[in-house]
Amino acid sequence: MGKLGRNVPSSRRGDGVPPESEPPGAGPEAHRPPIGRRVRSALTPRSVAGQVFLLQLVIVLVLVATAVVVLVVQDRNRAIKQAGDWSLAVAQTFANAPGTAAAMKSDNPTAVLQPRAEAVRKETGVDYVVALSPYGFRWTHPDPNLIGKHVSTSYDEALNGKPHQTTFDSSLGKAVDSTVAVFDAKGTVVGLVTVGVTVDKVASVVQRQLPVIYTAGGVALLLAAGGSALVSARLRRQTAGLGPVEMTRMYEHHDAVLHAVREGVIILDGDGTLLLANDEARRLLALPPEAEGRPVTAVGLSPALAALLGSGRAATDQVFLAGDTLLAVNVRPVGPKGGSVATLRDTTELRALAGRADVAGGRLQLLYDASTRIGTTLDVQRTAEELAEVAVPRFADFATVELVEPVLHGEEPTGASTAMHRVAAAGIRDDAPLSPVGTRLQHVPGHPVAIGVATGRPVLVENLATADGWRAQDPERTRRILEHGIHSMISVPLQARGQLLGVVEFWRSEQDPFERDDLSPAEELAARAAVCIDNARRYTREHITAVTLQRSLLPGVLPELSALEVGHRYLPAQAGVGGDWYDVIPLPGARVALVVGDVVGHGLHAAATMGRLRTAVHNFAALDLPPDEILGHLDDLITRIDEDAAAETITGATCLYAVYDPVSGRCVVARAGHPGPALVAPDGSVTFPDIPVAPPLGVGAGLPVETAELVLAAGSRLVLYTDGLVEARGRDIDTGLDMLRDALAHTDATTPDDTCRAVLDAMLRTKASDDVALLVARTRLLDPDQIAEWEVPDDPAAVSRIRAEATRRLEAWGLGEAAFTTELVLSELVTNAIRYG
């Protein structure tokens, strides 16, 4: 309507003059554009007539396309049918021709049939005539090179006497193939005839019908174009007569919108004359009532704002001061004559709100970062360091944290002493003269820290130069702090569950001094950090308790042994102690039992279970049971522990038990779910003996345990370990075993303790994520002079002789005081062996 409204005659513009009173040549015909322009306007999609014409055009094109598609499909189906009939007729004619069956039964069918087939193909116009044997071998073909080749297509239908037709896509287009059988006088199939015809060879009727369709479509388009032109002319005549009511309503709508917006709007012409100003613009700029029609530089605006508005150049959000109001001005050039439109927004309150919002947003972001960055570990000192790092430099230029001494050791703060140790410090520079980390501080009364500790509230010192209590702590250091430029601080006590853990101080040197509004975020930071420090303290206490319990359950000093030289190490996991353990148990006959085990899980439960297993192993070893029986008893013990426990989880454990005999050098090994040992030969070669593995303890369900017997040369090192040594996050066990092999290969001629140290240095470059128990035993063999053997005949009279020989051997060894007891033992053993053996 806005476009057509530009052609409204002057008599309809609200002047009240009727059309009949217009002078000649001033009517609607005088303002009507040329016919060519009107036709182009009718065809444009912006007008109603143009849109109707486009719809008609689309409909005609769809109908034409549909008709063409239908004709093409019908013509193609007809052509395929004609091609099939053509090829079938030629095939049947050739098959039934006199002499065809006889030729196929002759010794050389190709010689007779090939000339006939080619003659028929040329005379009938088909693409090919091929004679085939009943087994699919070609006798004829337009390409002589293909004669004799086999055709893989199935012709079962044709062999049964029924013509077979197929339609396929060839290199020349869609084609139809007809195949018929050739019968002799007895009705036996002697061959096949297949004829192919390309569909395109059949004459098309579409070419005769397409001109008619196109002509009809063109006529329809011409009628649509003419109709659209008529509709366009009629609409123009009908809409040119907008009455005063409609025009007034349009004006009132535009005027209401212009003056109701909360932005100032002014319109200027190309010369900088003010044409229009809405009510908001008059209020913001304090314009006089008669401002319209005057130059913008003469309506009382500031020179800078008047120059911008009069220049007509584009501007975006340029800020100007108009009295006490801060305006954001946008200018956009419009119109072909160089006019412009300017909008004005009052941003005075918005700027103040934005400033406060930025501050609040920064504090919220600081507290959010504190919640994600403080307390990432369960380490007291690291948590304090994270608090200082979060505060600098967004909240303070420097930050220091002190904790009371019991907190550092995981103990409950008693409040008996307010002495603190500085554990963390951070700053924008490293040369600040604040007390360094590790300093023990005892704040004097009146010091901001002492006041905060006493009241439990944060303390603000806006000007350190005038704070007498702070200066009295250490006059020399406070003087250097002031000279460094540090001018204000906030001290906040760190409290959790009503107990004082320490204090944090925030210092500023380059930022503006702290204000009262800064106390809230400082207190929030301290509160979040205090909870994390208290959690770390409690974890430290539990960790120390668990480690103490586990170390008390592990062997302290291993016994001196003549059979082995032993080195051992135990490293608790980073996340807490677990159930890894080891033991060395002396056995009768100078034998030694070596044990390494691992209880599933971590914490006090795992450590307690480990202690029960170690005690049980000592009891079973005292009975001198073989390794497989001991592991069977341990499996029963773990099963009973799981049945007695209230927890739903299965405890589970692994264990390796080895018994070494220094007399023979034999070592019997059995394991239940545990990694096998490593063996370092005296020449330094490293192997991993194949030890049969049984299921872990507690899940074996009574399955038998197999043993393996190793023969160890003197000076061999048997290395027993738990899985924490070779397995780690991101490293599989095969890689760990290869690393262990390399580490042991470089420990030739070292003591077992040195071997333990070298292996741990090579395998654990960082804090272990699982417990590690390591036991290295270097073997020895007893000298023949330290061993006595007798062959005892099956005669009771031999008992006295054995007693006498044993007594003489003990006296030779300097063990005469044990002769009486030894005689009794040997008498019993030999007598029982002779009587019952």
Side-chain angles (χ1 to χ4, degrees):
M1 296 296 291
K3 175 183 176 182
L4 297 176
R6 289 195 296 267
N7 295 326
V8 176
S10 59
S11 61
R12 300 296 180 92
R13 298 176 187 173
D15 52 5
V17 180
E20 291 78 3
S21 61
E22 292 181 350
E29 295 298 328
H31 299 280
R32 183 170 298 174
I35 295 178
R37 184 181 301 176
R38 281 185 288 161
V39 172
R40 287 194 300 271
S41 176
L43 297 179
T44 56
R46 291 177 297 177
S47 64
V48 176
Q51 295 176 7
V52 173
F53 174 73
L54 286 180
L55 177 61
Q56 295 173 341
L57 175 62
V58 170
I59 294 175
V60 170
L61 292 178
V62 169
L63 292 176
V64 171
T66 302
V68 172
V69 170
V70 171
L71 286 176
V72 169
V73 172
Q74 292 178 348
D75 184 71
R76 177 51 59 95
N77 293 335
R78 182 195 58 79
I80 292 174
K81 180 66 171 57
Q82 290 182 358
D85 296 340
W86 185 2
S87 63
L88 180 60
V90 174
Q92 289 177 339
T93 302
F94 188 87
N96 297 321
T100 300
M104 289 183 175
K105 295 174 63 176
S106 65
D107 294 335
N108 190 1
T110 300
V112 179
L113 295 176
Q114 175 69 7
R116 296 181 182 179
E118 287 301 299
V120 170
R121 179 180 66 83
K122 294 177 181 179
E123 291 174 3
T124 60
V126 298
D127 293 280
Y128 58 84
V129 178
V130 178
L132 305 171
S133 71
Y135 303 100
F137 291 92
R138 296 188 182 95
W139 283 330
T140 67
H141 197 277
D143 185 359
N145 294 327
L146 298 180
I147 295 175
K149 303 293 182 179
H150 185 266
V151 179
S152 59
T153 306
S154 175
Y155 297 109
D156 293 342
E157 187 178 12
L159 293 174
N160 292 328
K162 185 177 180 180
H164 175 73
Q165 281 191 334
T166 58
T167 303
F168 61 95
D169 294 323
S170 66
S171 59
L172 300 176
K174 188 173 291 293
V176 180
D177 178 278
S178 297
T179 303
V180 297
V182 180
F183 299 88
D184 60 6
K186 298 179 179 181
T188 302
V189 177
V190 296
L192 299 169
V193 176
T194 177
V195 176
V197 177
T198 304
V199 175
D200 291 339
K201 289 188 176 182
V202 180
S204 176
V205 298
V206 176
Q207 296 178 356
R208 299 191 301 271
Q209 297 177 353
L210 283 181
V212 178
I213 295 175
Y214 292 151
T215 301
V219 172
L221 289 177
L222 289 176
L223 292 175
S228 298
L230 293 176
V231 171
S232 178
R234 183 173 181 82
L235 286 175
R236 184 174 290 106
R237 288 194 300 271
Q238 291 176 349
T239 57
L242 282 177
V245 176
E246 291 80 3
M247 297 297 294
T248 302
R249 184 170 61 251
M250 292 175 59
Y251 170 78
E252 289 176 348
H253 289 170
H254 289 113
D255 187 68
V257 172
L258 180 66
H259 293 286
V261 296
R262 295 298 304 273
E263 287 190 353
V265 179
I266 59 176
I267 302 176
L268 303 98
D269 63 9
D271 298 330
T273 301
L274 183 61
L275 301 179
L276 175 67
N278 68 348
D279 295 342
E280 185 68 9
R282 292 179 178 276
R283 184 186 68 82
L284 294 176
L285 299 177
L287 296 176
E290 64 282 358
E292 282 88 346
R294 297 170 58 183
V296 72
T297 55
V299 292
L301 303 181
S302 64
L305 178 58
L308 173 64
L309 297 176
S311 65
R313 59 182 177 85
T316 302
D317 286 339
Q318 291 197 14
V319 179
F320 294 90
L321 187 63
D324 297 332
T325 304
L326 200 63
L327 298 178
V329 180
N330 293 272
V331 181
R332 293 292 181 270
V334 294
K337 296 182 180 181
S340 61
V341 175
T343 60
L344 308 98
R345 297 194 313 275
D346 185 356
T347 61
T348 306
E349 295 181 0
L350 183 61
R351 287 298 179 95
L353 291 174
R356 290 195 292 270
D358 289 341
V359 173
R363 289 177 177 174
L364 288 176
Q365 184 64 38
L366 174 65
L367 296 178
Y368 172 78
D369 292 343
S371 66
T372 58
R373 293 177 54 187
I374 298 177
T376 59
T377 66
L378 290 173
D379 183 83
V380 172
Q381 182 166 351
R382 179 55 192 155
T383 304
E385 292 172 352
E386 290 170 344
L387 169 59
E389 292 169 357
V390 167
V392 177
R394 288 188 293 176
F395 183 70
D397 296 322
F398 301 93
T400 55
V401 182
E402 293 94 48
L403 299 177
V404 296
E405 188 169 356
V407 175
L408 298 176
H409 304 293
E411 302 174 1
E412 288 281 349
T414 61
S417 173
T418 58
M420 301 182 187
H421 291 266
R422 179 156 291 176
V423 295
I428 57 176
R429 296 190 303 272
D430 297 332
D431 57 347
L434 300 170
S435 299
V437 173
T439 305
R440 186 178 185 274
L441 300 173
Q442 180 69 52
H443 299 287
V444 300
H447 192 279
V449 173
I451 296 174
V453 170
T455 62
R457 302 293 300 170
V459 178
L460 167 65
V461 181
E462 298 183 14
N463 189 355
L464 291 175
T466 60
D468 296 334
W470 174 75
R471 296 169 63 90
Q473 176 74 29
D474 187 346
E476 176 58 27
R477 185 177 295 276
T478 55
R479 180 186 60 80
R480 289 189 282 118
I481 290 176
L482 293 173
E483 291 177 353
H484 192 73
I486 298 177
H487 48 72
S488 63
M489 62 94 72
I490 292 179
S491 174
V492 188
L494 298 171
Q495 300 178 98
R497 298 179 294 109
Q499 295 179 328
L500 178 68
L501 306 179
V503 66
V504 56
E505 295 117 338
F506 304 105
W507 313 79
R508 281 186 178 178
S509 60
E510 296 184 1
Q511 301 183 44
D512 295 336
F514 285 113
E515 300 176 349
R516 303 296 299 180
D517 291 342
D518 296 317
L519 289 176
S520 178
E523 191 171 12
E524 184 70 21
L525 279 176
R528 292 174 184 261
V531 174
C532 296
I533 291 174
D534 188 55
N535 291 337
R537 178 197 63 79
R538 297 167 66 181
Y539 170 79
T540 302
R541 180 187 60 190
E542 294 180 2
H543 182 73
I544 293 174
T545 302
V547 170
T548 303
L549 172 62
Q550 186 174 39
R551 291 195 181 278
S552 67
L553 296 175
L554 290 173
V557 179
L558 297 181
E560 293 290 337
L561 303 170
S562 59
L564 296 171
E565 180 185 0
V566 179
H568 57 90
R569 290 290 187 278
Y570 170 74
L571 295 179
Q574 183 178 9
V577 297
D580 290 19
W581 59 285
Y582 61 90
D583 212 338
V584 178
I585 307 173
L587 298 176
R591 293 172 301 140
V592 179
L594 303 174
V595 193
V596 174
D598 183 5
V599 177
V600 175
H602 293 86
L604 294 176
H605 176 70
T609 304
M610 177 269 292
R612 298 175 67 177
L613 283 177
R614 182 168 178 259
T615 302
V617 169
H618 273 268
N619 294 333
F620 296 141
L623 300 176
D624 203 7
L625 298 177
D628 53 343
E629 293 187 20
I630 288 181
L631 292 183
H633 288 302
L634 294 180
D635 183 64
D636 295 337
L637 174 62
I638 292 294
T639 302
R640 288 197 300 273
I641 291 175
D642 291 336
E643 291 175 353
D644 296 340
E648 297 181 357
T649 57
I650 298 177
T651 300
T654 65
C655 184
L656 185 147
Y657 190 94
V659 176
Y660 174 68
D661 186 357
V663 176
S664 61
R666 290 183 173 85
C667 182
V668 180
V669 185
R671 61 179 177 138
H674 200 84
L679 179 61
V680 184
D683 61 358
S685 61
V686 181
T687 59
F688 293 95
D690 186 13
I691 309 298
V693 60
L697 304 177
V699 297
L703 295 177
V705 180
E706 299 183 25
T707 61
E709 185 176 285
L710 308 177
V711 178
L712 307 181
S716 300
R717 282 173 290 167
L718 190 65
V719 182
L720 310 181
Y721 52 89
T722 56
D723 58 357
L725 180 69
V726 293
E727 290 185 352
R729 188 177 293 108
R731 183 183 73 194
D732 58 21
I733 189 171
D734 293 333
T735 304
L737 292 176
D738 292 338
M739 294 175 60
L740 178 60
R741 186 196 307 273
D742 295 339
L744 292 173
H746 293 84
T747 59
D748 189 22
T750 59
T751 64
D753 270 335
D754 294 337
T755 301
C756 290
R757 185 181 305 107
V759 167
L760 292 181
D761 290 342
M763 301 291 293
L764 305 176
R765 302 186 184 276
T766 58
K767 187 71 174 178
S769 59
D770 194 8
D771 291 13
V772 175
L774 177 63
L775 187 64
V776 179
R778 173 177 284 171
T779 61
R780 298 171 181 162
L781 293 177
L782 297 181
D783 293 334
D785 295 339
Q786 296 176 295
I787 305 171
E789 297 181 0
W790 297 280
E791 291 288 339
V792 182
D794 186 11
D795 184 3
V799 176
S800 59
R801 180 177 62 82
I802 295 300
R803 288 200 304 266
E805 292 182 1
T807 301
R808 287 194 296 271
R809 180 59 63 91
L810 290 174
E811 291 176 349
W813 287 343
L815 301 174
E817 68 277 4
F820 178 74
T821 303
T822 305
E823 286 182 0
L824 291 178
V825 173
L826 284 178
S827 295
E828 289 294 328
L829 289 176
V830 175
T831 301
N832 289 334
I834 293 174
R835 180 176 299 176
Y836 305 109

